[in-house]
Amino acid sequence: MATRSRLARRAGQLPRVGPPTTQATPAGTSRRKLRRIGLYVLLIAVAALFIGPFLILLSSATKPASQDVFGFPPDLIPRPPVADWFREAWTTIPYARFLLNSLIYVGITVPIYLVVSALTAYPLARIAFRGRGVFFMLFLSIMFLPGELMLIPRFLVMSQLGLTDTFASVILPAILSSLGIFLLRQAFSQIPDEIVEAARMDGANEFAIFWRIAVPIVAPTLAVLAILGFVSVWNSFIWPLVTLTSQSKFPIALGIAYLSGVSGTDVRGLAAGTVISLVPVVMVFLFLQKRILNSMGGAVKG
Amino acid sequence: MPGLRGRVVGQHWYTPYAFMLPGLLMYAAMFAWPAVIAIQLAFSDYNIVSPVRFSGLDNFSRLLDDPRVWIALRNSLLFVVMFLPLTVVAPLFLAMLVNLKLRAIQAFRMLYYLPVITSMVAVAVAWRYVFNREGVINWVLSLVGAGPIDFLLDRHWALPTVVLLEAWKNAGLFMMIYLAGLQAVPPDQVEAARIDGANSWQRLRHVIVPSLRPTFAVTLILSMLEAMRAFESVYVLTRGGPLDSTLTLGYYIWSKAFEDYDMGYASAVGLLLWAIMIVLAGFNLVVTRRRDG
């Protein structure tokens, strides 16, 4: 602590300095270049750690039957790459059905999630009423009721409602999240008062202000939540496992678990099936990565 | 902001509640009602077939005598202990690495984040190829004359392996949280320390880490809760085995409830886990508050 304040004080006294001029000399330049190459080597090594397993998966999925999946030393380049195992995975289990189911789950859950979160967050940010803080805490408390602990009682609630083994039972628990309400409340409260007041003077009621003015302004936050919602619904596994019994309603993650349980599935076929399940979510991520990555920081800073 | 008394034009007393109605209904149906049921079940005997029967504290006295609860508790705590350095410390260094001003640095951030958005099932399948008895890791071990190790089938290796995988999957998320924190550190202070002759370790220790205190509060609680309730990874990797060596509280609850249909007892173990999580969160809040003061 002492060091920090001393340094901080010193920072205030010192004139701003540019990069030291000595580094412009040839020796300095080459040392800097060397350091940069070293850093890239490190960055690539770490990247290998994070995507290596996926690359090995892809390599296993495209190896011909004549080539061993395992062995010392590892033989990772498929010779030649084949697509047979994708076909095999596609036909061993009702793969298309599982993909379609996941799309349905995402397509229904995410829009409802956005609307419910926005409606709930709006008054928490923009309308003064008694108990506002209490309601906010109530919705934040969802964080401490994690899905894993709710499996049993939710299963019983669904049975009481006669909803087990239905699409609705998969969708309903995913509609409310504390993160959605938290981020949207933040976004709504940053809207300048003047904009809202101007609309109010023109006679707009609260819902019109919400729908025509506030929602368009928080569109970037909604986009982030839509992406996060997509990822979480696409990957959801445990709750569908508990509530669903008919295979025809399985989402893709359950499909993969099912594929790995089917006896006689070739290790290459399992790899291929897993690769297919990763494609949609990775595509979404690649296209929208900037937004996703920036949101994670923003969510925590806020 | 208008006061509580003066009502704004176009707003009625019921306006905020009308907005929150769908959210409140969902809260009631999917969180509040199930939470009440969970508490009720913890004091009952229920096996799905016969009706719920109140059984007082039976489940809790059973819990105290159940050696598997203690195994699960020990494994969950071990999980936390191993998970913390991997998610609270290591990602800070990752964040410092991707905070460098280098070309294409965003691409590296993206690659490190990739496991976060993939499903645990897919991750488990992918790693099965890496951890195979004849997989890449055992090959590396064979080069130094060690192994082979059946990582997920060995009583001593299974839990550390599950922890490692869970940490690997989440590292990118923690990295991004630290990155946001790092980008808020005033560059002037780091620069001043450099001019004062502080080496990079001293800069980290005395300038960067102290300014990241609020970020540590977030990563610490996130990491603890995540580890404490670890379940999905255990389910897809080891199913609690071998010989209960990866039996966590989360997995024990699931197996009691949906394999043995012992719903009441499973709920009692659930309450225990819930209580531990709340204590951890409270402890965290107190510790980080005091440091701030």
Side-chain angles (χ1 to χ4, degrees), chain B residues 160-193:
Chain B
T161 307
V162 175
V163 173
L164 194 71
L165 266 172
E166 182 88 45
W168 173 84
K169 188 181 183 319
N170 286 299
L173 176 65
F174 285 90
M175 172 190 83
M176 290 312 294
I177 296 172
Y178 278 122
L179 187 63
L182 281 178
Q183 290 177 341
V185 175
D188 286 7
Q189 290 186 12
V190 183
E191 192 53 37

Side-chain angles (χ1 to χ4, degrees), chain B residues 198-278:
Chain B
N199 63 29
S200 41
W201 169 250
Q202 288 166 328
R203 287 201 297 272
L204 176 68
R205 173 78 185 72
H206 296 291
V207 184
I208 297 173
V209 168
S211 10
L212 282 182
R213 225 162 246 175
T215 315
F216 281 116
V218 173
T219 54
L220 205 62
I221 183 76
L222 214 59
S223 169
M224 277 187 183
L225 295 184
E226 188 75 26
M228 204 60 218
R229 63 186 230 215
F231 166 58
E232 198 168 316
S233 49
V234 175
Y235 181 88
V236 295
L237 287 164
T238 59
R239 300 264 176 131
L243 297 171
D244 283 349
S245 61
T246 57
L247 183 79
T248 58
L249 279 174
Y251 189 80
Y252 191 49
I253 296 166
W254 189 88
S255 105
K256 274 285 154 204
F258 296 103
E259 286 173 354
D260 302 348
Y261 294 105
D262 198 347
M263 298 276 178
Y265 185 58
S267 300
V269 183
L271 282 199
L272 173 70
L273 175 54
W274 201 2
I276 295 175
M277 287 174 65
I278 288 172

Side-chain angles (χ1 to χ4, degrees), chain A residues 170-188:
Chain A
V170 176
I171 292 164
L172 283 173
I175 285 175
L176 210 58
S177 87
S178 45
L179 182 70
I181 291 167
F182 182 79
L183 287 186
L184 280 167
R185 176 180 168 269
Q186 194 103 324
F188 280 131

Side-chain angles (χ1 to χ4, degrees), chain A residues 1 3-4 6-8 10-11 14 16-17 36 39-40 42-44 46-47 49-51 53-54 56-57 60 69-74 116 119-120 122-130 132 135 138-139 141-142 144-146 148-158 160-161 172-173 175-176 200 206-207 210 231 235 237-238 241-242 253 256-257 260 267 270-271 274 278 281-282 285-286 289-290 292-293 296-297 300-301, chain B residues 1-4 8-11 15-17 19-20 22-24 26-27 29-31 33-35 37-38 41 46 48 94 97-98 100 102-106 108-115 117-119 121-123 125-130 132-136 138-139 142 168 171 173 176-177 180 188-189 192-193 195-196 206-207 210-211 213 218 225 229 231-232 235-236 253-254 257-258 263 266-267 270 273-274 277 281:
Chain A
M1 217 51 227
T3 319
R4 184 187 171 195
R6 182 170 58 81
L7 291 174
R10 184 71 60 84
L14 280 171
R16 275 194 170 268
V17 275
R36 208 161 53 207
L39 284 174
Y40 274 114
L42 184 61
L43 280 165
I44 290 167
V46 176
L49 188 70
F50 282 104
I51 57 163
F54 295 120
I56 290 175
L57 187 72
S60 309
V69 173
F70 301 110
F72 297 164
V116 171
L119 279 171
T120 309
Y122 182 79
L124 294 174
R126 306 228 48 116
I127 300 178
F129 64 100
R130 209 175 289 276
R132 183 163 80 161
F135 278 105
L138 194 75
F139 286 113
S141 73
I142 294 174
F144 292 97
L145 296 171
E148 289 87 342
L149 302 184
M150 302 303 259
L151 287 176
I152 303 167
R154 263 191 200 147
F155 177 74
L156 298 178
V157 167
M158 289 298 171
Q160 282 170 4
L161 297 173
L172 283 173
I175 285 175
L176 210 58
R200 200 163 272 143
E206 204 61 34
F207 186 78
F210 164 75
V231 171
N235 292 340
F237 175 70
I238 292 297
L241 176 77
V242 167
I256 295 301
S260 75
V267 281
L270 177 60
T274 309
L278 288 172
V281 91
V282 171
F285 179 58
L286 289 184
Q289 33 103 1
K290 213 160 204 160
I292 301 179
L293 293 182
M296 286 333 294
V300 173
K301 243 191 291 182
Chain B
M1 260 292 157
L4 287 175
V8 179
V9 189
Q11 287 180 3
T15 308
Y17 308 103
F19 270 94
M20 291 191 300
L24 287 171
M26 287 315 300
Y27 185 86
M30 291 298 122
F31 295 92
W33 185 15
I37 291 182
L41 277 181
Y46 183 52
I48 297 230
L94 276 182
L97 192 61
V98 297
L100 294 169
L102 289 172
R103 193 173 304 203
I105 200 72
Q106 180 78 6
F108 287 103
R109 288 177 192 166
M110 194 182 80
L111 292 178
Y112 300 176
Y113 196 78
L114 199 62
I117 56 138
T118 53
S119 71
V121 183
V123 162
V125 172
W127 276 92
R128 227 180 276 167
Y129 293 80
V130 180
N132 188 282
R133 204 180 164 83
E134 296 180 357
V136 175
N138 271 317
W139 173 66
S142 77
W168 173 84
L173 176 65
M176 290 312 294
I177 296 172
D188 286 7
Q189 290 186 12
I195 290 163
D196 271 6
H206 296 291
V207 184
S211 10
R213 225 162 246 175
V218 173
L225 295 184
R229 63 186 230 215
F231 166 58
E232 198 168 316
Y235 181 88
V236 295
I253 296 166
W254 189 88
F258 296 103
M263 298 276 178
S267 300
L273 175 54
W274 201 2
M277 287 174 65

